[in-house]
Amino acid sequence: MTTRPKTSDPVTPRVIADLRSDTVTTPTPEMRDAMAHAAVGDDVYGEDPSVNELQAEVARLCGMEAGLYMPSGTMTNQVAIALHTRRGEEVVCAEGSHIYEWELGMMAAFSGVVPRFVPAPLGVPAPEEVRAAVRHSVHQSPTGLISLENTHNKAGGTVIPLEVLAGIRAVADAEGLPLHLDGARVFNAAAALSVPLSEITRHFHTVSVCLSKGLGAPVGSVLVGRAEHMRQAHRYRKMMGGGMRQAGVLAAAALVALRGGPARLAGDHRRARVLAEALVNAGYDVNLAAVQTNIVYATIPDAAARSAAWARSGVLANALGPDSVRFVLHHQIGDEALEGALRVLTA
Ligand SMILES: *Cc1c(COP(=O)(O)O)cnc(C)c1O
């Protein structure tokens, strides 16, 4: 079995650790084997057995009726927004939410809706703030959806406490609004809280679950919810170009990730802690309270130049602001790779 090099970046002679994202993982030999032997069919007709198995398994883990496999988390989120909203409405979401910040204005472009941010210290919006942001007046754009992100990427991979989820669900029920979860890293949240996934997902009407982040699948996310919602979602997925035909080759790898991935997340979280504390000891500013899962944001002066220098020494991390660098742990960074990375980062 051949594995591809971790990067094709010509300026990087040897990659010690690729900490740019948990999306950079490559399929394991077990995944490639499952892909080679996957049962497939035309998924637009609902006839791909591997896709159907994946959808059913994610739905079951989330305590939902049905699931729909899509090529990306952007698509599962935007299909959910299309499902729940009408043109001219607002989506109430935590400040910094991926559905707005990193999904290229798609909520406006596809669904004709706009975001209304609520404050979210450490990525956690207070139920009262969510309630205050909901609008029904004829003079204002009405709220169509409340959407949460757990873990919250831009806040540093932070986890929403279960009682806050219950509080926001109570607001949604009182206001007659649907509640969506961008659960790109909901498995990380479940691991951090040591609870089954369904303890988190049961508060939501739809959940987008990413398989190609921490779980390590090469491609895809699954949207879960009521069967009726998934029938509608099927149409929106096709409109967005997400009808993938014999997608079972991908779903087979995703099933391997789904079955083996969650148990490895605690290790990623432990290594994120080690990295964060080492950066602090090296004199960098890290908000350790935000280091709850597999993401570490550090304040690094001249972030772009610093990360370019580290890249030349084989450690890749994204500068996400003039003085901010993000490090993301994943299952292809073991203790040894982390040690190697720390030698470069703290030199
Ligand atoms: C990565 C991510 C997504 C989806 O990203 P894709 O690259 O489209 O799969 C959605 N939400 C959050 C919070 C993410 O981190």
Side-chain angles (χ1 to χ4, degrees):
M1 185 98 13
T2 53
T3 34
R4 295 184 343 105
K6 283 247 184 97
T7 177
S8 54
D9 182 347
V11 302
T12 306
R14 187 172 74 90
V15 176
I16 296 168
D18 189 345
L19 300 163
R20 290 172 300 167
S21 175
D22 43 10
T23 57
V24 300
T25 57
T26 51
T28 61
E30 194 191 354
M31 287 178 201
R32 288 185 183 271
D33 188 53
M35 294 171 85
H37 298 103
V40 297
D42 190 327
D43 178 50
V44 176
Y45 290 95
E47 291 173 1
D48 189 300
S50 303
V51 170
N52 290 342
E53 189 180 345
L54 174 68
Q55 292 174 164
E57 192 153 328
V58 178
R60 186 182 55 75
L61 288 169
C62 293
M64 298 286 192
E65 282 176 12
L68 195 65
Y69 185 46
M70 305 194 204
S72 73
T74 297
M75 193 180 287
T76 45
N77 280 332
Q78 294 302 326
V79 164
I81 290 170
L83 275 183
H84 293 301
T85 61
R86 286 176 300 185
R87 302 183 77 75
E89 290 183 334
E90 288 187 348
V91 177
V92 169
C93 54
E95 60 190 350
S97 288
H98 194 284
I99 56 166
Y100 178 66
E101 295 284 0
W102 282 323
E103 296 186 11
L104 301 102
M106 188 60 166
M107 72 163 73
F110 191 75
S111 297
V113 296
V114 287
R116 175 167 294 274
F117 280 154
V118 294
L122 287 180
V124 181
E128 316 76 76
E129 297 276 6
V130 173
R131 189 190 307 277
V134 170
R135 292 142 33 119
H136 299 294
S137 143
V138 292
H139 303 290
Q140 298 170 311
S141 49
T143 307
L145 171 68
I146 301 169
S147 183
L148 300 180
E149 186 174 314
N150 194 20
T151 64
H152 193 294
N153 182 337
K154 215 170 173 212
T158 51
V159 180
I160 305 179
L162 294 176
E163 59 274 17
V164 174
L165 294 181
I168 293 174
R169 174 59 191 257
V171 169
D173 286 346
E175 302 289 346
L177 290 169
L179 185 60
H180 171 70
L181 176 64
D182 176 353
R185 296 189 181 83
V186 67
F187 274 99
N188 294 85
L193 293 170
S194 301
V195 297
L197 200 65
S198 59
E199 277 301 294
I200 296 172
T201 55
R202 69 190 181 88
H203 296 288
F204 297 87
H205 297 97
T206 51
V207 178
S208 161
V209 179
C210 191
L211 303 158
S212 70
K213 295 264 167 87
L215 301 189
V219 176
S221 287
V222 175
L223 181 68
V224 295
R226 285 176 22 224
E228 175 54 31
H229 271 149
M230 292 309 108
R231 274 191 288 277
Q232 261 177 282
H234 193 275
R235 188 164 67 88
Y236 289 122
R237 182 184 70 173
K238 190 77 165 67
M239 287 173 79
M240 289 185 192
M244 291 195 291
R245 309 301 179 184
Q246 286 73 29
V249 287
L250 300 173
L255 273 163
V256 173
L258 185 65
R259 288 166 186 162
R264 289 191 300 255
L265 295 175
D268 297 345
H269 297 180
R270 179 178 57 76
R271 281 182 280 272
R273 255 286 129 183
V274 170
L275 171 65
E277 285 169 2
L279 289 170
V280 168
N281 288 338
Y284 294 114
D285 189 16
V286 177
N287 179 3
L288 289 174
V291 183
Q292 301 173 8
T293 57
N294 66 326
I295 299 177
V296 178
Y297 274 92
T299 304
I300 313 266
D302 275 330
R306 208 72 208 101
S307 82
W310 284 331
R312 286 191 291 277
S313 302
V315 178
L316 309 182
N318 280 335
L320 289 181
D323 60 356
S324 175
V325 176
R326 189 187 70 172
F327 304 87
V328 186
L329 279 295
H330 52 76
H331 74 98
Q332 287 171 344
I333 303 290
D335 289 328
E336 208 178 305
L338 179 60
E339 266 176 47
L342 287 180
R343 274 193 291 275
V344 171
L345 296 173
T346 61

